[in-house]
Amino acid sequence: MTEQLLRGPLHDLHASLDATFAPFGGWEMPIQYKTGVVAEHTAVRENVGIFDVSHLGKVRVTGPGAADFVNRCLTNDLNRIAPGKAQYTLCCTETGGTVDDIIVYLVGPQDVFLVPNAANTAEVARRLIEAAPEGISVTDEHRQHAVLAVQGPRSAELLDGLGLPTELEYMAYRDAEWRGLKVRVCRTGYTGEHGYELIPAWGDAPVVWEALREAGGVPCGLGARDTLRTEMGYPLHGHELSLEISPVQAGSTWAVGWKKDEFWGREALIAERKEPARRLRCLRALDRGVPRPEMPVLDADGKQIGVTTSGTFSPTLKTGIALALIDTSAGIDVGAEVTLDVRGRKLRCEVVKAPFVQTNVKN
């Protein structure tokens, strides 16, 4: 199985750090290092951690009217941002299901750079190619670029020390020359902390990674990435978003340009927005126990009213937390108590407002 998995440009460096690997989105990815998930999680919350997320997809759309074309396809409104900015958006089906959630870099009216999730890159590219008018080119550049995330309260300090730009507004990016290499630096992240994502060429990634590590960045795997994003209530495709879970259900309506005349799934999402059948909720355990995905959510009468989509132990709160899709007909709101069925054992949880811990992304 491992031999069939794809590997990123830093695989040998991760192996030299005794990383534990596991399959993720068709790639062999570092899940944790010798320090463990909790230590890596804490490094990001209190210091600075570095992640190799080069498995993420990269798709370029170019040609006259490229930005307008992308804007007619994806949910968010590209007209809200200017060149030099990035935007979170979604690719939906005509029935409102979520093909993927994507970060879009607006380079200019004729050049848009997309970063989808690894497993969905080919499908996003296929849909764009199929819809593209004459003159618009859609190119899969998955292995032309790496993506390294630098996250935590000391992230700016670390990058400043290396001579990389840090004075950026949230979701703004700058293309920099660094030690003779081209690196795109963007003020984005998936951890809830002040952070950056660096996009160097695929072959240049080892040089950048080693510089980050030698400057004090703590290598972090996907295990810590998951606990960090769950504490923020951020969705993960395949859990809180899928072909069966729309942006409306997932609470991602802020990433939909409702006033736009056109985007894939517009009519279905507008209709669902009026009366969604279920909504994503944040659950904090009141008893000892760790929620996991696919656990039934029960009301006071023991009736199933939903299911968890993600669940973990929160290293920050020292308790179990979960995200769950709950039927709107159940009337469950913030402050309510529900019960999870943990393999036959009951785990009481309180419905809380997202995020579970304070966000510092814009600080």
Side-chain angles (χ1 to χ4, degrees):
M1 179 178 178
T2 301
E3 294 177 358
Q4 299 174 355
L5 296 172
L6 300 171
R7 289 179 172 180
L10 304 179
H11 183 274
D12 291 345
L13 291 177
H14 297 314
S16 72
L17 296 173
D18 293 328
T20 300
F21 294 94
F24 184 82
W27 293 71
E28 187 176 9
M29 296 294 298
I31 301 302
Q32 66 178 53
Y33 299 85
K34 287 188 293 185
T35 50
V37 171
V38 173
E40 294 166 21
H41 177 108
T42 303
V44 174
R45 289 280 181 249
E46 299 180 357
N47 190 0
V48 58
I50 55 175
F51 301 80
D52 173 20
V53 286
S54 300
H55 66 300
L56 294 173
K58 303 95 187 174
V59 177
R60 189 177 298 279
V61 183
T62 57
D68 289 338
F69 163 65
V70 171
N71 203 31
R72 293 194 301 270
C73 299
L74 307 183
T75 61
N76 214 333
D77 189 352
L78 266 181
N79 292 323
R80 293 173 178 171
I81 65 172
K85 289 290 190 74
Q87 183 183 72
Y88 178 83
T89 188
L90 303 113
C91 175
C92 290
T93 65
E94 288 306 319
T95 56
T98 310
V99 177
D100 203 12
D101 56 340
I102 302 166
I103 297 292
V104 174
Y105 291 78
L106 182 58
V107 182
Q110 300 188 39
D111 191 352
V112 181
F113 185 70
L114 313 180
V115 180
N117 287 291
N120 301 324
T121 300
E123 179 61 14
V124 170
R126 184 194 70 78
R127 287 172 179 266
L128 289 169
I129 290 170
E130 189 175 275
E134 186 176 352
I136 298 293
S137 176
V138 180
T139 309
D140 188 337
E141 298 185 352
H142 209 144
R143 287 182 175 271
Q144 292 186 34
H145 314 276
V147 183
L148 308 178
V150 184
Q151 301 285 304
R154 287 193 56 244
S155 56
E157 179 184 333
L158 186 151
L159 295 184
D160 282 338
L162 293 176
L164 285 163
T166 59
E167 292 298 320
L168 300 167
E169 294 180 0
Y170 182 59
M171 297 300 282
Y173 74 88
R174 186 181 305 168
D175 291 328
E177 289 280 344
W178 178 78
R179 300 182 184 179
L181 308 178
K182 293 182 178 180
V183 181
R184 176 165 290 174
V185 181
C186 190
R187 261 283 283 122
T188 57
Y190 192 53
T191 64
E193 297 299 330
H194 185 105
Y196 303 82
E197 291 187 332
L198 312 182
I199 306 180
W202 185 271
D204 295 338
V207 174
V208 181
W209 172 266
E210 287 296 85
L212 295 171
R213 194 168 68 86
E214 290 169 6
V218 177
C220 301
L222 291 189
R225 187 171 167 88
D226 192 58
T227 55
L228 289 159
R229 70 93 189 171
T230 305
E231 286 187 346
M232 286 297 106
Y234 291 160
L236 175 65
H237 194 277
H239 291 255
E240 289 74 40
L241 292 165
S242 71
L243 293 175
E244 289 72 44
I245 306 173
S246 73
V248 173
Q249 296 173 29
S252 298
T253 53
W254 59 271
V256 178
W258 296 105
K259 295 181 180 180
K260 291 201 304 181
D261 293 332
E262 182 180 359
F263 60 86
W264 294 337
R266 180 178 181 272
E267 288 73 22
L269 292 178
I270 288 174
E272 184 183 36
R273 189 187 188 194
K274 297 175 182 176
E275 196 172 347
R278 53 185 184 170
R279 285 192 183 277
L280 193 68
R281 296 293 188 184
C282 294
L283 309 181
R284 178 171 176 167
L286 298 172
D287 303 322
R288 290 179 60 119
V290 180
R292 298 299 181 194
E294 302 301 321
M295 288 182 170
V297 180
L298 312 176
D299 65 12
D301 298 323
K303 176 186 175 183
Q304 182 169 348
I305 56 172
V307 64
T308 57
T309 52
S310 292
T312 189
F313 175 79
S314 164
T316 304
L317 299 175
K318 304 294 191 294
T319 190
I321 59 174
L323 303 176
L325 282 169
I326 296 180
D327 298 342
T328 53
S329 60
I332 299 297
D333 208 342
V334 172
E337 185 175 313
V338 296
T339 302
L340 299 186
D341 184 344
V342 184
R343 296 179 296 278
R345 185 175 67 84
K346 300 297 186 286
L347 177 62
R348 294 182 308 122
C349 295
E350 180 186 6
V351 179
V352 298
K353 186 177 180 180
F356 290 97
V357 301
Q358 178 180 320
T359 177
N360 297 304
V361 291
K362 296 182 181 180
N363 293 350

